[in-house]
Amino acid sequence: RCQRLCYCLSPCLPMPVDYSKWENLEVSDSDSDGGGRPEVTKLDGSHSVTFGSHDKVEIRPSETRSTTSTGVESQQVNLTCNGSDCGSHMWSQTKAEVTVSIPVAASVKAKAVSVVLIRRRLVVEIQGVRVFCGDLVYGIEEDEFVDWQLQNVAGARFVQLQLRKDQSTAHMGTLWWTRVFESDSPIDAASIADRKPGGDLSSVWSEAHKMFKDKVGKRSKIEI
């Protein structure tokens, strides 16, 4: 009975370790092989390391993209495309939307920002401190909240507000804003790059009024 018990337990016992293979190891402490210490190469900047066959290692500097002054200027132009730089803020516009960019500190987090629109008064606060306030000149699509985001542009941080233009008069043509807030200096609507000649509401109305006068003038008089 003891022999049978030993036979059943023997597969669970650990296998003995064969140390004879360690006897053939050659250890050199001469200076020719570096004293057994690994060779370390310190890389400065961005590099790529490629492991090839036969333990061949190839190290190359990685291609880096640098921000040129032209790129920075292009980003700044986008902030004022069809708009203007008003000092306390910058604004740009398309046919349907206006983007207002208000500069803030680089450390500002989204949870610290509060944007409130009461009728046409827009207020921006950072941690309860008012940093911007302005009264809108034109009407916008009324909504419960104003779309906004924190954006880093050209090395600066901005609270960017997205305002949707009032589309109630869209059937008459595109309304290009000449300013956003009452305190802004108006721009020349004729200088707007995306504006087509005769594409704004004022020119459309003038043309329609002229056509109406011409049509009335050509109408023959009816005797009563």
Side-chain angles (χ1 to χ4, degrees):
R1 182 178 299 177
C2 294
Q3 292 178 353
R4 181 177 298 178
L5 180 62
C6 292
Y7 175 79
C8 294
L9 294 178
S10 60
C12 300
L13 297 177
M15 296 296 294
V17 179
D18 183 11
Y19 293 98
S20 61
K21 61 182 181 180
W22 302 101
E23 297 177 358
N24 298 325
L25 290 177
E26 295 182 1
V27 179
S28 175
D29 44 346
S30 63
D31 295 334
S32 60
D33 60 354
R37 297 181 179 181
E39 182 179 354
V40 179
T41 301
K42 184 177 180 180
L43 304 179
D44 295 328
S46 300
H47 292 73
S48 61
V49 180
T50 303
F51 295 90
S53 58
H54 305 293
D55 297 331
K56 181 180 179 181
V57 179
E58 185 177 1
I59 302 176
R60 294 181 179 179
S62 299
E63 296 182 0
T64 57
R65 296 182 178 180
S66 59
T67 303
T68 62
S69 58
T70 304
V72 173
E73 292 174 358
S74 176
Q75 292 178 342
Q76 293 175 341
V77 169
N78 290 336
L79 295 179
T80 58
C81 181
N82 300 324
S84 178
D85 184 352
C86 300
S88 63
H89 63 282
M90 290 179 278
W91 66 279
S92 62
Q93 66 176 318
T94 63
K95 292 182 178 181
E97 289 187 341
V98 174
T99 301
V100 180
S101 302
I102 302 171
V104 295
S107 59
V108 170
K109 304 297 182 181
K111 62 182 180 181
V113 180
S114 173
V115 179
V116 179
L117 177 63
I118 304 177
R119 295 183 180 177
R120 288 199 175 185
R121 173 158 293 185
L122 187 66
V123 179
V124 179
E125 295 182 349
I126 305 295
Q127 294 182 338
V129 179
R130 181 175 296 184
V131 296
F132 183 84
C133 179
D135 296 324
L136 294 172
V137 176
Y138 299 92
I140 61 174
E141 293 289 329
E142 294 184 1
D143 201 349
E144 185 177 358
F145 301 101
V146 177
D147 294 334
W148 65 271
Q149 64 178 343
L150 280 173
Q151 191 76 15
N152 295 325
V153 181
R157 195 163 179 81
F158 296 89
V159 174
Q160 286 193 334
L161 315 173
Q162 302 291 335
L163 308 176
R164 292 186 293 275
K165 295 180 179 179
D166 183 7
Q167 298 297 316
S168 61
T169 57
H171 63 283
M172 299 178 61
T174 301
L175 175 60
W176 292 104
W177 292 15
T178 57
R179 55 179 176 163
V180 180
F181 303 102
E182 295 286 355
S183 58
D184 296 347
S185 298
I187 64 173
D188 182 8
S191 65
I192 297 177
D194 291 346
R195 172 182 173 270
K196 295 180 180 180
D200 61 307
L201 284 179
S202 59
S203 60
V204 170
W205 173 256
S206 299
E207 184 66 23
H209 186 61
K210 181 181 178 182
M211 291 176 62
F212 175 76
K213 289 177 63 177
D214 293 342
K215 186 175 181 179
V216 171
K218 294 178 181 180
R219 183 176 298 178
S220 60
K221 297 180 180 180
I222 302 176
E223 297 182 1
I224 299 177

